[in-house]
Amino acid sequence: MAEKTTITTVARHARVSRQTVSNVLNAPHLVRDETRARVLASIEVLGYRASQAARQMRTGRSRLIAVRIEPTRDGINGSVLDRFLHGLTETASTAGYRVVLYTAADDAGEIATYDELLASHDLDAFVLTSTHRGDIRTAWLAGHDVPFVTFGRPWGAQPEPGRGGGHPARQHGGAAEPHAWVDVDGAAGTAAATGHLLAAGHRRVGFIGWPAGSGVGDDRRAGWQDAMGRAGLDVAGLSAGTSDGIDQGERAARDLLALPDPPTAIVCASDSLGLGARRVCGAVTGFDDTAVAAATGMTSVSQPLPEAAGRCVQLLRRLLDRDGPPDTPEQVLLAPRLIVR
Amino acid sequence: MAEKTTITTVARHARVSRQTVSNVLNAPHLVRDETRARVLASIEVLGYRASQAARQMRTGRSRLIAVRIEPTRDGINGSVLDRFLHGLTETASTAGYRVVLYTAADDAGEIATYDELLASHDLDAFVLTSTHRGDIRTAWLAGHDVPFVTFGRPWGAQPEPGRGGGHPARQHGGAAEPHAWVDVDGAAGTAAATGHLLAAGHRRVGFIGWPAGSGVGDDRRAGWQDAMGRAGLDVAGLSAGTSDGIDQGERAARDLLALPDPPTAIVCASDSLGLGARRVCGAVTGFDDTAVAAATGMTSVSQPLPEAAGRCVQLLRRLLDRDGPPDTPEQVLLAPRLIVR
DNA sequence: TTGTAAGCGTTATCAA
DNA sequence: TTGATAACGCTTACAA
């Protein structure tokens, strides 16, 4: 094994002081062109790379961002995180950041992990996924002055039990302080899916989603409802809410089809639900454009995951790569795309 | 924000020297019980956690292990990595290690990334997935004395063009120096799938996999061939090789069914191929037990991903948490499970 | 058993 | 524009 190349090695090789080498790297404008060129040449020749650990001790920044990896729930929607992670890793690396993974059983466990990661590894920031109503994580991070971005907008404080109708999802419930987030417009997605079915001649279009109060679910339901409303169509009784899963989707679809005036097509809030519904209904759309949708030829709403990941990194940089007071948080709402099959 | 808690804070609080605090953490047996208890209490009260960066500077160990995250190819088999990653993150964290992600376009790019990660972040080890014939990564890592484990056994040097028949996959081709690896016995999986079909009364069981020379593919083919041989059945002409994909699976299945004496059932090397084959053949098994297989009710071979991940960490610890000369590398071959549907 | 001193590789401060 | 010095928080060697 060769000697470890440190900044001292480079300094000796280029016949300058350590500090000058450091300046070439961190404040190039302070160094004369000729000197800089010589130093850069030495760096190249010696294959020098600054030690993150040493740099971190001095600057307090680790250039590490953390993301939670969840146990793929039903496997169908799980690959969404997979693609998001890949995009995140790629974009982060071009910005000089690395992604570290962590797991947690629930929100409380996740917060304990924040504490641990921050104290021992000095993590620079967190990317949170799967935001939901009553999410306690963002308040904790904000309260501890930890930079973070969520993939998924804030859905408000507590689940509101009695809120059936209306468009509750559109109110981003009184989050104490807004934070940076990136999200995909789920309502626009289900609206597009509904429009697609309407264009195909359907008039009775049903919806299968999750029970009211789930934020993401309410949003997707609202998109369907809006699209139906704009077409002047009645939606009374055409909506079902159930937990996620293939069998649940089939059951809910059966119920809808048993109505006196049943739907002829169904928009679903997930590919899992859609797959189940398809067993009993010909015209069904799913959500997330997972491999299952592609494999079974189901029309589905596709989220622009790589772009969402890129935006998260972008927002993070705005938070991190600055010396002044933090900018006002930014929010990004991306449009999904309907993949017609 | 409270003051940063360092080892000095703890020392003051417990009325001992910094060194004693360090000893409590790293060499508890050197400290008197009473003192140790007092120090631990202070650590608890102050919520102290040793700074990884400072520790790393002294010890040269980062307690970080790296894994590549691949762009989900066809999405169907992609979720395998997802589940493996989750298991890895979980097990690693209980051993005090964190998982960092990286991407790479190909083997050469991956090696460049090793260089970068090692030089700047002092990574402790790598976990390699998707081993293949002619894999240049292991030689590089071994040559640079970097600890690593592969998920997937070494498949030998170069793809061997003219090797059609036999059981080439069973020869783990002259790897210069064996290394630690964990793998799942693919041949056992396809053998089980074949056995399942034979038990159902089939006598002509075909196989659709990838072109010869791919290591993993040859192994899975060998399992089918062995099972057929043990049952005294002829396999001549019953095997097809194609690139992965649903349509490719369908095409290969059509070809097999067009034979004079066609198969009545087909074992496939992936769920993608299986899904395609199923369009034209009733009795088909897949491989990987992905969400697609579950959703479409296809029998498939399931890999014990969490266990594989755990074993990888176990092997890594053997390599890392030792002071003497490294142990002889260990290899772990896990048995898959057939999920009958 | 506990304390003192040195040093890991970097960057911020300040003087030349 | 460049260089000397100190400091970040920790652990290893050695002295008390």
Side-chain angles (χ1 to χ4, degrees):
Chain A
M1 290 296 282
E3 265 311 300
K4 187 156 211 170
T5 306
T6 81
I7 202 171
T8 308
T9 325
V10 176
R12 260 202 304 265
H13 187 273
R15 299 161 176 274
V16 294
S17 72
R18 282 181 347 217
Q19 184 49 32
T20 299
V21 177
S22 175
N23 281 340
V24 167
L25 261 30
N26 303 301
H29 57 282
L30 293 180
V31 181
R32 189 160 42 130
D33 287 2
E34 186 189 311
T35 314
R36 184 172 53 235
R38 200 167 74 241
V39 171
L40 286 174
S42 296
I43 288 177
E44 175 76 14
V45 168
L46 300 169
Y48 167 74
R49 254 117 172 177
S51 151
Q52 259 311 310
R55 173 174 286 176
Q56 175 180 347
M57 264 193 73
R58 199 50 205 150
T59 63
R61 338 205 64 256
S62 64
R63 304 205 74 87
L64 253 32
I65 65 184
V67 187
R68 168 176 165 186
I69 183 164
E70 308 180 48
T72 312
R73 287 141 303 175
D74 72 352
I76 295 189
N77 305 310
S79 67
V80 169
L81 177 64
D82 203 14
R83 290 182 279 165
F84 178 73
L85 271 185
H86 183 265
L88 201 67
T89 305
E90 200 150 52
T91 325
S93 102
T94 71
Y97 288 90
R98 296 281 161 193
V99 173
V100 336
L101 259 27
Y102 65 93
T103 60
D106 51 24
D107 283 5
E110 186 160 352
I111 286 177
T113 308
Y114 296 156
D115 212 21
E116 151 71 20
L117 284 171
L118 287 170
S120 66
H121 288 267
D122 255 318
L123 262 87
D124 284 354
F126 287 83
V127 176
L128 268 50
T129 58
S130 307
T131 56
H132 49 262
R133 279 190 193 280
D135 203 321
I136 56 176
R137 303 173 299 168
T138 52
W140 192 95
L141 289 172
H144 289 249
D145 284 323
V146 180
F148 70 96
V149 173
T150 64
F151 176 39
R153 70 201 93 159
W155 293 110
Q158 290 299 331
E160 299 160 48
R163 299 288 293 275
H167 297 174
R170 284 302 165 86
Q171 310 155 353
H172 300 154
E177 18 193 335
H179 60 253
W181 55 258
V182 174
D183 204 357
V184 173
D185 192 342
T190 45
T194 308
H196 168 69
L197 295 170
L198 292 176
H202 295 279
R203 281 295 161 262
R204 300 282 292 166
V205 178
F207 177 84
I208 300 177
W210 305 303
S214 80
V216 176
D218 294 347
D219 186 44
R220 294 184 184 175
R221 175 177 290 110
W224 158 77
Q225 195 165 326
D226 284 355
M228 291 293 280
R230 278 198 301 276
L233 296 168
D234 189 26
V235 299
L238 284 181
S239 164
T242 174
S243 60
D244 202 57
I246 300 174
D247 292 338
Q248 290 89 327
E250 177 179 351
R251 217 170 302 134
R254 279 191 198 287
D255 289 349
L256 287 181
L257 293 178
L259 289 172
D261 189 6
T264 60
I266 304 177
V267 171
C268 293
S270 78
D271 279 353
S272 307
L273 292 172
L275 205 65
R278 259 182 127 207
R279 292 182 183 155
V280 296
C281 175
V284 170
T285 66
F287 206 109
D288 273 346
D289 189 34
T290 61
V292 172
T296 61
M298 176 169 62
T299 292
S300 189
V301 177
S302 169
Q303 304 199 39
L305 270 352
E307 184 180 0
R311 293 308 200 100
C312 285
V313 173
Q314 192 180 13
L315 262 44
L316 237 32
R317 296 189 67 173
R318 213 178 278 256
L319 256 34
L320 296 173
D321 299 349
R322 249 178 195 297
D323 5 9
D327 251 340
T328 53
E330 296 233 353
Q331 288 80 31
V332 176
L333 192 58
L334 299 170
R337 211 155 54 87
L338 186 71
I339 306 295
V340 177
R341 295 198 173 89
Chain B
M1 292 294 282
E3 265 310 299
K4 185 155 213 170
T5 306
T6 79
I7 202 170
T8 310
T9 326
V10 177
R12 261 201 305 267
H13 187 274
R15 300 160 177 271
V16 294
S17 74
R18 289 187 337 226
Q19 180 48 30
T20 300
V21 178
S22 176
N23 280 340
V24 168
L25 262 30
N26 304 301
H29 57 281
L30 293 180
V31 181
R32 188 160 40 131
D33 287 1
E34 185 190 311
T35 315
R36 183 171 57 233
R38 200 167 74 242
V39 170
L40 286 175
S42 296
I43 288 178
E44 176 76 14
V45 168
L46 300 169
Y48 167 75
R49 253 113 171 182
S51 151
Q52 255 313 307
R55 173 173 285 176
Q56 175 179 349
M57 269 194 69
R58 244 342 252 183
T59 63
R61 338 205 66 256
S62 63
R63 304 205 74 87
L64 253 31
I65 65 183
V67 187
R68 167 175 167 187
I69 182 164
E70 308 180 49
T72 314
R73 286 141 304 175
D74 73 353
I76 294 188
N77 304 311
S79 67
V80 169
L81 178 61
D82 204 13
R83 291 182 278 165
F84 178 72
L85 272 185
H86 183 266
L88 202 66
T89 305
E90 200 150 53
T91 325
S93 102
T94 71
Y97 287 90
R98 297 281 163 194
V99 173
V100 336
L101 258 27
Y102 65 91
T103 61
D106 52 23
D107 283 5
E110 186 161 351
I111 286 177
T113 307
Y114 296 156
D115 211 21
E116 150 72 20
L117 284 171
L118 287 170
S120 66
H121 288 267
D122 256 318
L123 263 86
D124 283 355
F126 288 82
V127 175
L128 268 50
T129 57
S130 306
T131 55
H132 49 261
R133 277 190 195 280
D135 203 321
I136 56 177
R137 304 172 299 168
T138 51
W140 192 95
L141 290 172
H144 289 247
D145 284 321
V146 180
F148 69 95
V149 173
T150 64
F151 177 39
R153 71 203 91 160
W155 292 110
Q158 290 298 331
E160 301 161 45
R163 298 289 292 273
H167 297 175
R170 284 302 165 87
Q171 311 158 353
H172 298 153
E177 17 195 333
H179 59 255
W181 57 258
V182 174
D183 203 356
V184 173
D185 192 342
T190 46
T194 307
H196 167 69
L197 295 170
L198 292 176
H202 295 278
R203 280 296 161 265
R204 300 281 292 167
V205 178
F207 179 85
I208 301 177
W210 306 303
S214 81
V216 176
D218 293 348
D219 185 43
R220 294 185 185 175
R221 174 177 291 109
W224 157 78
Q225 194 164 327
D226 284 355
M228 290 292 280
R230 279 196 301 273
L233 295 168
D234 190 26
V235 297
L238 283 181
S239 164
T242 172
S243 59
D244 202 55
I246 300 174
D247 293 338
Q248 290 88 329
E250 178 179 351
R251 215 169 304 135
R254 279 192 199 286
D255 289 350
L256 287 181
L257 294 178
L259 290 172
D261 188 6
T264 60
I266 304 178
V267 172
C268 293
S270 78
D271 279 353
S272 307
L273 292 172
L275 204 65
R278 258 183 129 207
R279 291 183 183 154
V280 297
C281 176
V284 170
T285 66
F287 206 109
D288 272 346
D289 190 34
T290 62
V292 172
T296 61
M298 175 168 62
T299 292
S300 189
V301 177
S302 169
Q303 305 199 37
L305 269 353
E307 184 181 358
R311 292 310 199 100
C312 283
V313 172
Q314 191 180 15
L315 263 43
L316 237 32
R317 295 189 70 174
R318 212 178 279 256
L319 257 33
L320 296 173
D321 299 347
R322 246 177 198 299
D323 7 8
D327 250 341
T328 52
E330 296 234 354
Q331 288 82 32
V332 177
L333 191 59
L334 299 170
R337 210 155 55 86
L338 186 71
I339 307 294
V340 177
R341 295 198 175 87

